[in-house]
Amino acid sequence: MNRYPRDFTGYGANPPDAAWPGGAKIAVSVVLNYEEGGENNVLHGDAGSEAFLSDIAGAAAWPGQRHWNMESLYDYGARAGFWRLHRLFTTRNIPVTIYGVATALARNPEQVAAMKAAGWEIASHGLKWVEHRDMPEAEERAAIAEAVRLHTEVVGQRPRGWYTGRCSVNTLRLVAETDGFDWISDTYDDDLPYWAEIGPRDQLIIPYTLEANDMRFATAPGYIEGEQFFQYLKDSFDVLYAEGAAGAAKMFSIGLHCRLIGRPGKIAGLMRFLDYAQSHADVWFPRRMDIAAHWAATHPHQRRTRPSQMDHDSFVARFGGVFEHSAWIASRAHALELGPAHDSATGLHNALARMFRSATPAERLGVLTAHPDLAGKLAAAKRLTAESTAEQASAALDALTDAERAQFEQLNAAYVAKHGFPFIIAVRDNTKDSILAAFQTRIGNDTETEFTTACAQVERIAELRLKDMLP
């Protein structure tokens, strides 16, 4: 099987109502990354110095050497930036989620004590703030386990949330497989939390942000002054707040770093934003653990059978009758590049219809001739498929008068004699009268036109059947 793992659908056009506590129109999640002391450094056993997210323009790693300027900038985050942010959030009673690198936490006990005293959530940001992309799976699994062990030892309790940031393609799965995290944030793909089925575990994902993030002060294109940061946060807040007022409440994540936003000229923009956000009613400032608890209670996950995960025989058994007596369509569709996008009625209909459209004219004619006459002999003998029986009943074709039945039989015979296949129409889109009117109009068309029309109606019937079976 060829299966495509990426999910382009998510909640689609109809996301759930977040139902935030107190009827909040927006949930503003403030995240403070604590990495100072966990970055690349030969003191930490790394091959060279850190080169990422600092105020040094064009920074590059120094192999085998300490980079004094880089270290000094990180030290600022611990020595001054953290405490400026701590004062800001505690005086405003805004709870914070810490993304704490375990080795950084171990080297900063006073800051950890202040985080705990403030009631902040301390989640794991990995063992070291280094790239995971090239780690062999066994090495990364061991690093995750050691991060949890050291975090628990330093903080006094196990982390219940996780964000790596510099992750590999395996990270999310490996973290979920530890079976101990209430939430993971190593995605950027939604404005709401969602559930991911990872093996037997239903893992809650709380997406994070790389754009409402002060890292843009250190990357290009980015912010060069606090006012730009304020304006971007304000614009994001305004759009999401308006959506919440319209009944579609969302989550707004803000990413911060002690050594970046902790600088006076940068934090001024954050202060202006907090003034602005706190001037609005119905704004919830939760920790991510609070979001996770709310989502698990309000939107618990329910597993369902997903077409893209079914084996061939199960897939054909379930969907082989969607196109009348034409299981070969489902069989061929199973071999397509199916993925999460095909686990809905619309998505799977597209896959099945592709196989119908790409079939030979003779094969498509076979699908048309597999359909029964409307109110014909098979219906009278109760030999229709369950789907056809229900569909014809929906338009009261199972309760015709003798005169109406005779009229249908006459039209059926004339139509088949002229075109070579039954008259096909999606009866659930019609009434008995509109079906008769279409019958009388379409019987006069040329066969090529009717073949095209009948094929389109077959696809519509399949779509309606799938909507009875799938979300």
Side-chain angles (χ1 to χ4, degrees):
M1 290 191 298
N2 184 19
R3 293 296 176 259
Y4 191 76
R6 294 169 65 189
D7 184 355
F8 298 119
T9 303
Y11 291 119
N14 299 295
D17 176 10
W20 299 131
K25 297 180 177 65
I26 187 172
V28 181
S29 170
V30 178
V31 173
L32 181 59
N33 293 262
Y34 201 88
E35 298 153 350
E36 288 72 15
E39 79 279 9
N40 281 287
N41 192 311
V42 294
L43 294 175
H44 307 158
D46 300 309
S49 63
E50 185 56 66
F52 191 43
L53 291 190
S54 79
D55 288 322
I56 299 176
W62 289 10
Q65 299 184 54
R66 292 176 65 184
H67 191 322
W68 189 255
N69 291 347
M70 182 65 73
E71 286 185 25
S72 184
L73 289 170
Y74 272 75
D75 292 351
Y76 182 92
R79 293 161 56 112
F82 171 81
W83 297 107
R84 181 170 287 120
L85 289 159
H86 184 269
R87 289 190 295 272
L88 174 66
F89 291 121
T90 55
T91 56
R92 290 173 177 264
N93 295 314
I94 293 177
V96 170
T97 292
I98 297 291
Y99 285 172
V101 173
T103 50
L105 297 176
R107 295 182 175 112
N108 290 268
E110 290 192 16
Q111 290 88 339
V112 170
M115 296 171 193
K116 294 173 66 175
W120 293 355
E121 175 186 17
I122 307 178
S124 182
H125 196 7
L127 178 63
K128 301 170 69 174
W129 198 60
V130 297
E131 292 283 0
H132 283 223
R133 65 182 182 184
D134 295 323
M135 285 186 186
E137 188 170 318
E139 179 183 338
E140 185 173 15
R141 183 181 287 107
I144 292 168
E146 177 60 12
V148 173
R149 186 204 68 77
L150 181 57
H151 183 112
T152 304
E153 180 180 283
V154 170
V155 176
Q157 61 187 75
R158 187 196 192 286
R160 305 300 303 179
W162 179 280
Y163 173 73
T164 312
R166 302 163 81 171
C167 61
S168 77
V169 71
N170 299 315
T171 304
L172 193 149
R173 173 178 58 82
L174 293 175
V175 175
E177 285 175 358
T178 67
D179 201 30
F181 287 99
D182 297 331
W183 57 268
I184 300 174
S185 285
D186 274 309
T187 70
Y188 313 95
D189 52 3
D190 215 301
D191 298 310
L192 288 173
Y194 62 88
W195 295 96
E197 296 175 0
I198 302 176
R201 179 166 177 78
D202 296 334
Q203 178 64 60
L204 183 65
I205 307 298
I206 303 181
Y208 187 46
T209 176
L210 295 180
E211 35 80 46
N213 191 311
D214 68 355
M215 67 179 289
R216 299 290 291 275
F217 281 109
T219 58
Y223 312 119
I224 59 173
E225 59 184 10
E227 184 65 20
Q228 291 177 325
F229 190 47
F230 160 70
Q231 191 62 51
Y232 190 85
L233 296 182
K234 176 183 178 297
D235 288 346
S236 300
F237 177 92
D238 286 345
V239 170
L240 294 171
Y241 191 84
E243 290 180 4
K250 302 293 194 308
M251 176 185 71
F252 180 29
S253 295
I254 300 174
L256 307 171
H257 300 76
C258 300
R259 64 192 174 279
L260 296 176
I261 200 68
R263 293 281 179 175
K266 296 169 184 170
I267 201 172
L270 176 62
M271 290 174 172
R272 292 189 196 107
F273 170 72
L274 295 178
D275 287 339
Y276 181 76
Q278 289 190 301
S279 72
H280 288 67
D282 302 323
V283 177
W284 184 37
F285 285 91
R287 301 164 299 180
R288 288 172 104 73
M289 64 187 290
D290 303 320
I291 293 174
H294 170 81
W295 207 262
T298 310
H299 303 280
H301 184 55
Q302 293 183 341
R303 291 205 171 203
R304 62 180 177 85
T305 300
R306 298 181 181 275
S308 66
Q309 297 174 1
M310 297 172 72
D311 63 53
H312 175 271
D313 290 349
S314 299
F315 185 90
V316 173
R318 180 80 192 278
F319 303 112
V322 170
F323 281 76
E324 191 86 359
H325 295 298
S326 301
W328 59 267
I329 294 177
S331 180
R332 291 181 188 177
H334 187 264
L336 289 174
E337 183 190 78
L338 301 183
H342 300 97
D343 291 336
S344 67
T346 299
L348 186 56
H349 178 258
N350 180 269
L352 295 172
R354 285 174 57 190
M355 298 299 91
F356 176 59
R357 294 165 191 165
S358 62
T360 66
E363 288 173 323
R364 284 187 289 156
L365 178 60
V367 176
L368 301 188
T369 57
H371 277 260
D373 290 333
L374 291 181
K377 295 179 179 179
L378 290 178
K382 300 189 182 301
R383 291 174 55 195
L384 298 179
T385 63
E387 293 85 357
S388 290
T389 298
E391 287 158 359
Q392 295 203 20
S394 71
L397 299 187
D398 61 340
L400 300 176
T401 65
D402 290 342
E404 290 171 335
R405 186 173 294 104
Q407 185 179 17
F408 266 101
E409 289 176 355
Q410 179 184 3
L411 288 168
N412 281 330
Y415 186 95
V416 172
K418 179 175 181 179
H419 298 302
F421 49 84
F423 175 78
I424 299 172
I425 191 169
V427 295
R428 284 200 278 173
D429 290 336
N430 290 275
T431 64
K432 178 176 61 179
D433 291 340
S434 67
I435 291 169
L436 277 171
F439 218 149
Q440 291 164 338
T441 298
R442 285 173 49 187
I443 200 169
N445 291 336
D446 61 85
T447 297
E448 182 178 355
T449 297
E450 269 309 287
F451 186 85
T452 300
T453 301
C455 286
Q457 289 296 305
V458 164
E459 291 188 18
R460 174 58 178 164
I461 292 167
E463 180 183 15
L464 292 170
R465 289 178 178 182
L466 283 169
K467 287 182 176 180
D468 290 337
M469 305 168 74
L470 294 170

